[in-house]
Amino acid sequence: METVFSRTPTLRDCPTHYCPGCGHGIAHRLIAEVIDELDIRDRTIGIAPVGCAVLAYDYLDVDMIEVAHGRAPAVATGMKRTNPDKIIFSYQGDGDLAAIGTAEIIHAAHRAERITVIFINNAVFGMTGGQMAPTTVLGQVTATTPDGRNAAGQGYPLQVSELLAVLPGAIYIERCALSSPAQIRKAKEAIKHAFELQVQGAEGLSLVEVLSPCPTYWRMTPAKAMEWIDSHMTKVFPLGRLRG
Ligand SMILES: Cc1ncc(C[n+]2csc(CCOP(=O)(O)OP(=O)(O)O)c2C)c(N)n1
Ligand code: SF4
Ligand SMILES: [Mg+2]
C-alpha cells in the first residue's frame, strides 16, 4: 500500500502531554516538517519556552536549549552571533514573548538579529492556569478576568506583531492561525519562509505569530476553540503579512 502521510523524522514518536485540541502539537509538527523539508536538522538549534511548550525538546528531534521565561531572543542573539552557521529559532508563548519578554523581542528585532521566532498566541497564560495575558481579547473570560477583560481595568490587547513590523530590523512578520486545515497549511508556508530567510542569510529577524487554540482555558471544545480563533481572535489580530 502507498504511504500518503507519515510522521516527519524531526517529530519524535512519543505520547503528547498537551490537552486535546491544543495548538502546540500542531505547531511543533509544522516546524518539524519545515526543518526536514529544508534539510537543516543537523544545524538547527531551538529554544524552548517557559509555558505549556516547556517540553518542546521532547518532541522536536533537534538540539534544543531551555531558557528563562521571556529571555529567548536574548539567548538566541548570543547563539546566532557565536554560531552564525547554525539556524536558531525560539518558540515562545504570548505570556513569554508579549508579557515578561517584551523588551527582549523588541530589542532583538531592533538590532536585526538573524534569528527566527515562532510566537504562539493563545490569548492566555496557559501553563499557570489560564490567567489574562497582554493578548487576551476584550470580553474574554480568564482566571483573572472572571467578568471578561475590560479596557478600563485591564487595557487593550497588545498587538506585538504590528509593533515589531515598524522596525527595519524585522525583515519578515506574518500572522497566521491554526483554525482550519487551510489555515494550518498557510501557517506552514509562513514558518517555512521564516526559516528560509535565515538559511539564505537574510539580515534581520523573522517572526511568525500563530493564533493557537487553548480549549482548556478558553473552556471550549476543541472544535469550538478553532471557530473562536476566527470569530474573536482574528478581529483583533488580523491574519496576513505585516512586513517583508
Ligand atoms: C521569570 C518567571 N516568571 C513567571 C513564571 C511563571 N510562568 C510560567 S509559564 C508562564 C506563562 C506561560 O504563558 P505563555 O507564555 O502564554 O505560554 P502558554 O502556556 O500559554 O503556551 C508564567 C507566567 C516563570 N516560570 N518564570
Ligand atoms: S492549557 Fe492550553 S496551551 Fe496548555 S496544553 Fe492545555 S490546551 Fe494547550
Ligand atoms: Mg499563552
Side-chain angles (χ1 to χ4, degrees):
M1 205 186 296
E2 189 194 352
T3 302
V4 292
F5 188 73
S6 63
R7 184 176 48 78
T8 197
T10 293
L11 194 65
R12 284 207 176 101
D13 185 9
C14 61
T16 180
H17 80 284
Y18 294 119
C19 307
C22 177
H24 279 302
I26 302 171
H28 290 0
R29 181 180 184 94
L30 299 184
I31 292 168
E33 287 178 349
V34 163
I35 288 171
D36 288 331
E37 286 171 21
L38 296 177
D39 197 18
I40 52 171
R41 188 179 179 189
D42 57 350
R43 62 187 182 111
T44 296
I45 307 175
I47 302 182
V50 176
C52 282
V54 66
L55 301 176
Y57 43 74
D58 279 353
Y59 304 115
L60 295 171
D61 198 3
V62 291
D63 285 339
M64 292 199 70
I65 183 172
E66 176 70 55
V67 305
H69 197 39
R71 309 295 169 246
V75 175
T77 296
M79 288 164 63
K80 185 68 180 179
R81 287 187 179 208
T82 51
N83 298 278
D85 297 337
K86 301 289 186 198
I87 304 301
I88 309 291
F89 78 95
S90 71
Y91 184 102
Q92 300 179 256
D94 47 339
D96 187 303
L97 182 140
I100 196 169
T102 318
E104 277 75 8
I105 188 61
I106 288 182
H107 285 285
H110 188 50
R111 293 190 308 265
E113 301 296 345
R114 300 175 185 192
I115 59 173
T116 300
V117 178
I118 309 301
F119 167 33
I120 307 295
N121 179 358
N122 59 12
V124 282
F125 283 31
M127 186 195 212
T128 43
Q131 296 88 352
M132 191 195 92
T135 44
T136 296
V137 305
L138 291 180
Q140 186 180 340
V141 173
T142 70
T144 47
T145 54
D147 298 324
R149 183 178 190 168
N150 141 4
Q154 292 98 29
Y156 293 91
L158 186 61
Q159 292 147 313
V160 181
S161 290
E162 279 78 356
L163 283 178
L164 295 174
V166 301
L167 301 175
I171 50 170
Y172 172 58
I173 308 278
E174 179 145 0
R175 184 183 287 121
C176 43
L178 303 180
S179 54
S180 67
Q183 293 297 348
I184 290 169
R185 275 195 293 277
K186 281 191 185 170
K188 180 174 169 185
E189 281 169 30
I191 292 170
K192 191 166 187 178
H193 184 58
F195 274 87
E196 271 170 344
L197 286 170
Q198 189 177 163
V199 170
Q200 291 159 7
E203 297 179 358
L205 180 140
S206 53
L207 177 143
V208 179
E209 176 175 346
V210 181
L211 304 184
S212 175
C214 173
T216 299
Y217 290 117
W218 296 357
R219 295 170 175 81
M220 295 173 197
T221 62
K224 189 80 196 145
M226 294 285 205
E227 286 171 24
W228 195 82
I229 292 178
D230 289 337
S231 61
H232 288 74
M233 284 190 86
T234 58
K235 303 290 182 287
V236 187
F237 303 111
L239 304 184
R241 196 176 282 212
L242 293 143
R243 189 172 179 97

